[in-house]
Amino acid sequence: MQNNFKRNIASSLIRKITKCPNTYNLVNLSSKLYFRNSSKSFKLWLDFLFSQLKESGRKKKPVVWANIYAPSELLYSLNLLPIYPELISGILTSIGLAGYFIETAESNFYSTDLCSFYRVAAGLAIKNYLPKPDLIISTSQLCDGTTKFFHNLSKYFRCKHYLIDTAYYNNKDTESYVADQLGKISYQICNSFEYKLDPKLINLSFDLSNKTREYIIRLNELRRNMPSPLSGWDAMAYILYMFFSSMGAKSGLEFYRTLFQEVENKVIQKAGVLEKEKHRILWLHQVRPYYKNKIIQNLKEKGAVISFEDVSKVYWKALDPERPWESLAQKINSNFGAGAVERRIEVIRDLIENYKIDGVIHFSQRGCRQSCGGAYLIKDFLKQKGVPMLILDGDGADVNNYSAGQTRTRIEAFLEMLA
Amino acid sequence: MKSGFFDYIQNKEEVLKFIKEPIMGWICTYIPEEIVIAAGFHPYRILPHTDPSLANSYLDSNFCPFIRSCLGEAINKKLPHIENLIMVNSCDAMRRLQDAWKDYLPDSFIYFLDLPRTNSKEAIQYYYQNLQLLITELEKHFKVNITRESLYHAILICNDTRKLLEKLFNLYKNNQIFLTALDLSQIIESSMILPKEEFNKFLTEFIQKINKEKNFSSGIKKLRNKFKVLVSGTIMDNPEIFEVIEDYGGKVVFIDMCTGSRYFQNQIQIQKLKNSNTNFLKLVAEHYLSKIPCPRMMDIEKRWANLLEVIRNYQVDGVIFYNLKFCDTSMFELPLIKKRLQEYRIPSLCLEGDYTSTTSGRIKTRIQAFMEVLEFAE
């Protein structure tokens, strides 16, 4: 009884702190101090992350919780402030808090077989530790869990859920199906918050997104260099956060411009991630483990570097502000992870060639069906091409599903094969 | 005494030997059998019965056991004559099944039908367009002609099956016949596999017969019928579970599953069919997107309203959720539905099937414990 009382007091105190905008000023300052030797781009990410959390507490704009494949350009065009629970889950995992939220979710009937990132996010929502969203937007792309999870969130927070129902095929008909929904949803959102759709904002957001896209393409081009100038381990962490959440924002452009310059300098100085790069690895699947683990160390010891990861591939065309909904629909539809596995295999084939890849690691996130389901087919394809592939079963957020010894043995055996 | 009808449905393999039409396999209840029949095929629902480990070297083990079992049976030639298949974009697992099927069984004809997640006007129109594309592909590939008349005829056949199953189900749940839930489940499963017109004829006769014979019994056992149980989920891999529920004093009053009432609830409206201007295909599209949705669809409120109506109408004592392992769409629905049931003080139990027999002992114990909970709650 006494323990429960103490726990409730502690929870409401944490809630007050995490919902207070000034908290994030303080956290940002202390993070900057802690990471004082980190790169400028990393610090720009910290600024972006904490300013978004701070602004979501201030509520000057409607706060939207969105999934990573809901195009952020749409959200900035509608003058919304986006928060991405899936990305926040990754951050909570990296600071060792995932277990607490996973436990909360599981005690609220979220099965242990579900994707751990959603279990963390569900726990966070149930605990109500972040400023509440005013609306929720999600696409049904790639993963079944997304659609239902965001719908559940809308029930917890009693706010409207706008679903962008995506299509399996990528053609003109499916483009209009998605574009019609985007147009309709945009007008509904504007109406519900009593403002008009602003073409200037669409222009600005699309322009920023296109410029950012150019920098990402140039950055990806730099990453073809040997030795690899940027580790995929970083690309799947704070850089990935910006990849999904900052397209169409000024901070996104500034971040990628800075990152590009940093990587360009490394290429000029011929400075690689490793002093002696022996094996260039392509990492498949959009996540990696974010808790403390030894995977990157295991790779490093054997001279292997993650030269590229499929999630960083720019798969969409530049956006056209004259045809905003069609353009965004095209971006959604051209995601190579959607549809048949052949689309993904085609991209993997090109990446292997372009990045002079020696071996492929497919990280099979426990709880992720869409990715795990295609792993054997990809492996069969790569076998024909003579490219070794390791299917590394693991979990990005739930440390209980990580076995350091087993993972090390599997990675070592794989790298020996490459040697 | 068991009726001749049961002999008929239990000898599916024999019946299938004499089918003249080519077989078209289908996997999900969002695939309109009407189109398959109109194209001159015999629609055959793929409901595997083997251990999913047969597909271990093709699909990850962290994956839907139904899908793995389907692929395992197909690769090991355990399915009857399935060379043609219509799949639907129902979930991640189905998408990957299509990839694997195409790759490992390249001689099959496979059509992958896209399916929206809502029943908005736009979604119905999109689904309608997709059905048109399916028809075009069937006509082109098999050189058949799907006419307005053939579609009309097929709609009537499927409507009859639904109507008859509903009639039987009503007799069953109102205790007008002594049929076990396992019998009922076998009848529903057979309706998805056997030739529809013939099945309808046999089922009509069966219903007439049991209407005449008061207290008809399937001859297996009389039930205690103490607790009314609603079983909700996706696909029943192990129908013996119904027997276990009955053995411990439960009466399954409703089966909210793709292999249960969701297959036959609601019919395509006959009145609309009589109108000469009616677009039959549009009616089909509307029907499939407007039926009680499965957990894959977005309208959880409609699902909840249906469950609540059943709970109230049949004074359900407890709900058993029976889902297949690794089914994300069902697992994500449970937190909301279970919480609401708690608010209504309806006890519920979550069970998971995996197409293996190893779980049955554990499941039996859990059902027994659940029945004790119901007894205590009483």
Side-chain angles (χ1 to χ4, degrees), chain B residues 73-292:
Chain B
E73 283 201 1
I75 288 174
N76 291 284
K77 308 279 175 215
K78 289 190 173 187
L79 283 174
H81 333 291
I82 304 290
E83 282 162 7
N84 311 312
L85 182 63
I86 301 176
M87 295 185 188
V88 70
N89 182 19
S90 48
C91 59
D92 289 331
M94 199 67 91
R95 284 191 280 280
R96 300 292 82 94
L97 174 66
Q98 192 236 185
D99 292 328
W101 199 300
K102 260 175 31 188
D103 206 69
Y104 300 123
L105 296 157
D107 297 333
S108 316
F109 164 84
I110 294 177
Y111 191 86
F112 199 68
L113 177 70
D114 199 6
L115 174 73
R117 284 165 186 80
T118 69
N119 67 348
S120 66
K121 229 193 276 176
E122 296 79 6
I124 291 173
Q125 178 61 23
Y126 176 62
Y127 187 51
Y128 167 66
Q129 286 169 358
N130 291 341
L131 294 183
Q132 279 179 319
L133 292 173
L134 166 66
I135 288 179
T136 310
E137 184 58 25
L138 289 176
E139 289 184 330
K140 201 175 112 192
H141 189 91
F142 295 102
K143 299 188 173 46
V144 293
N145 192 13
I146 300 175
T147 61
R148 187 177 153 82
E149 287 69 32
S150 63
L151 189 57
Y152 173 78
H153 183 64
I155 292 173
L156 291 184
I157 294 172
C158 294
N159 256 1
D160 276 349
T161 310
R162 292 189 196 106
K163 224 186 301 175
L164 288 164
L165 288 173
E166 198 154 13
K167 201 168 177 183
L168 182 77
F169 199 65
N170 286 333
L171 288 168
Y172 160 83
K173 67 191 178 191
N174 296 326
N175 282 326
Q176 287 166 281
I177 48 169
F178 291 105
L179 212 58
T180 65
L182 179 63
D183 292 333
L184 191 72
S185 153
Q186 280 176 348
I187 295 172
I188 298 169
E189 191 177 309
S190 304
S191 74
M192 303 170 182
I193 288 170
L194 293 169
K196 285 247 172 330
E197 281 183 287
E198 193 180 85
F199 175 86
N200 290 348
K201 204 179 109 217
F202 276 99
L203 185 55
T204 310
E205 284 168 9
F206 178 66
I207 292 173
Q208 279 167 357
K209 189 180 165 197
I210 56 177
N211 265 334
K212 274 185 205 158
E213 291 175 27
K214 275 191 181 171
N215 295 333
F216 171 85
S217 165
S218 65
I220 296 169
K221 65 195 151 196
K222 298 243 174 180
L223 303 170
R224 280 197 289 154
N225 289 352
K226 204 169 173 190
F227 305 111
K228 291 177 178 171
V229 175
L230 158 63
V231 179
S232 177
T234 46
I235 288 170
M236 179 51 82
D237 62 329
N238 182 8
E240 279 74 31
I241 281 176
F242 294 128
E243 264 192 325
V244 179
I245 297 171
E246 288 168 348
D247 284 347
Y248 290 112
K251 155 96 180 171
V252 179
V253 288
F254 203 83
I255 308 171
D256 168 49
M257 302 183 97
C258 303
T259 45
S261 63
R262 285 206 300 269
Y263 175 63
F264 58 81
Q265 260 177 321
N266 307 334
Q267 287 131 41
I268 297 180
Q269 288 179 22
I270 298 288
Q271 287 310 316
K272 285 187 183 171
L273 285 174
K274 285 178 182 163
N275 187 335
S276 59
N277 296 323
T278 302
N279 180 338
F280 294 155
L281 192 63
K282 198 80 185 258
L283 271 188
V284 172
E286 277 168 9
H287 166 77
Y288 278 86
L289 288 193
S290 310
K291 61 181 190 169
I292 304 297

Side-chain angles (χ1 to χ4, degrees), chain A residues 144 148 152 155 169 369 380, chain B residues 62 92 104 112 295 301 332:
Chain A
D144 292 329
K148 301 297 270 194
N152 286 4
K155 299 288 169 189
Y169 297 101
R369 321 294 163 209
D380 282 354
Chain B
N62 170 23
D92 289 331
Y104 300 123
F112 199 68
E301 294 308 328
F332 267 111

Side-chain angles (χ1 to χ4, degrees), chain A residues 309-325:
Chain A
E309 56 296 318
D310 61 345
V311 67
S312 298
K313 157 103 182 149
V314 176
Y315 53 82
W316 67 96
K317 288 182 191 165
L319 302 176
D320 177 3
E322 297 299 314
R323 299 169 65 247
W325 316 135

